Amino acid sequence: MALLEVENIHTYYGKIHALKGVSLFVEEGEIVTLIGGNGAGKSTSLNTICGIVRAAEGRVLLAGEDITQLPAHTIVERGVVQSPEGRKIFQRLTVMENLEMGAYARRDTRTIAADMDFVFETFPRLKERQKQSGGTLSGGEQQMLAIGRALMSRPRVLLLDEPSMGLAPLLVQDIFRIVKYLNQNGTTILLVEQNALMALAVAHRGYVLQTGNIILADDAASLRQNEMVRAAYLGEH
């Protein structure tokens, strides 16, 4: 049984059929990436999994439990946590307060401090800036804060939506190094990313999404060699 299973999900925005029977799975300990062009349905897939958008058909299962119709906050409590596209940190709160918000639903106060230590160990810049307001951080630091806030929810599955968006190339390298490090430390990750080359370099497996349909699924190494993927998403002709 996979840790996360998405079965034949159909999602609509009004009359727009955004996801047309999407199915995928993520095993515990994996990084799985979802790649595709703008408007393919990548963010909609993550938002449907975590209950922000409701599926009209299909199921989302976490370790065999059907979580499809649970409220979004309950899905977070179950362990499916998103670091959203565009970061969406709390601009006026300090770094520390943003991280504490990530742990708002937790009752295990003894382990929150240990998780805060892990976040500061993973992102030393956040430790240096813990009293600064989130809105004064650079784009890269805000991305680190968004991921750190998600980690404070102690995710069983971390949904990363476009973590490299808008970042300078050196910071992109940093973010993907951190994604790999988190996975090596036991975090299961479903990664949505426009930078397909970097995503396939860190992922174990991947899915290609096109206009709401999964058109290809394979291990990451095979997808990197696939001619269609290379032409459409890796800029190789």
Side-chain angles (χ1 to χ4, degrees), residues 2-233:
L3 180 55
L4 179 70
E5 295 176 84
V6 175
E7 296 180 350
N8 194 37
I9 285 291
H10 291 258
T11 301
Y12 292 81
Y13 292 113
K15 293 183 179 179
I16 297 168
H17 196 175
L19 299 182
K20 304 166 185 173
V22 166
S23 295
L24 57 86
F25 68 91
V26 183
E27 299 281 3
E28 190 163 0
E30 279 191 311
I31 300 176
V32 173
T33 189
L34 194 54
I35 62 174
N38 281 331
K42 303 187 302 297
S43 292
T44 301
S45 296
L46 296 193
N47 288 338
T48 304
I49 289 168
C50 64
I52 294 171
V53 179
R54 286 285 165 218
E57 294 177 45
R59 298 194 305 167
V60 178
L61 304 173
L62 180 67
E65 179 194 1
D66 189 341
I67 62 170
T68 320
Q69 299 302 325
L70 293 180
H73 69 273
T74 305
I75 292 173
V76 170
E77 289 168 6
R78 290 287 199 281
V80 179
V81 183
Q82 182 172 187
S83 175
E85 180 184 358
R87 301 161 198 136
K88 296 185 175 67
I89 61 162
F90 299 103
Q91 301 275 330
R92 294 185 181 182
L93 298 186
T94 65
V95 166
M96 178 64 86
E97 288 166 342
N98 266 276
L99 294 174
E100 288 169 347
M101 286 298 290
Y104 84 98
R106 290 175 58 179
R107 304 290 175 263
D108 52 329
T109 48
R110 289 182 185 178
T111 55
I112 289 173
D115 289 344
M116 188 74 76
D117 288 343
F118 175 73
V119 169
F120 284 146
E121 176 192 315
T122 306
F123 304 106
R125 274 185 264 182
L126 296 185
K127 186 172 186 178
E128 293 165 12
R129 291 159 172 71
Q130 59 187 285
K131 293 180 180 176
Q132 273 184 235
S133 60
T136 66
L137 301 178
S138 70
E141 290 162 351
Q142 288 190 19
Q143 185 60 67
M144 293 172 188
L145 182 54
I147 295 172
R149 181 182 61 189
L151 290 174
M152 288 304 296
S153 297
R154 199 165 255 209
R156 295 173 73 184
V157 183
L158 176 61
L159 310 180
L160 287 180
D161 196 353
E162 303 284 9
S164 79
M165 181 183 282
L167 300 184
L170 275 177
L171 281 173
V172 171
Q173 298 274 358
D174 258 1
I175 290 296
F176 279 100
R177 178 183 53 76
I178 288 160
V179 169
K180 204 163 186 177
Y181 173 78
L182 293 175
N183 180 247
Q184 288 166 347
N185 278 269
T187 305
T188 302
I189 297 171
L190 178 57
L191 168 67
V192 157
E193 180 55 58
Q194 285 232 293
N195 188 332
L197 191 62
M198 293 296 286
L200 292 172
V202 298
H204 299 97
R205 293 186 300 108
Y207 295 87
V208 179
L209 192 60
Q210 197 173 82
T211 57
N213 295 285
I214 299 282
I215 60 165
L216 201 55
D218 212 331
D219 64 84
S222 299
L223 287 175
R224 283 200 303 272
Q225 298 304 317
N226 181 281
E227 287 186 17
M228 185 276 288
V229 172
R230 290 172 69 169
Y233 304 111

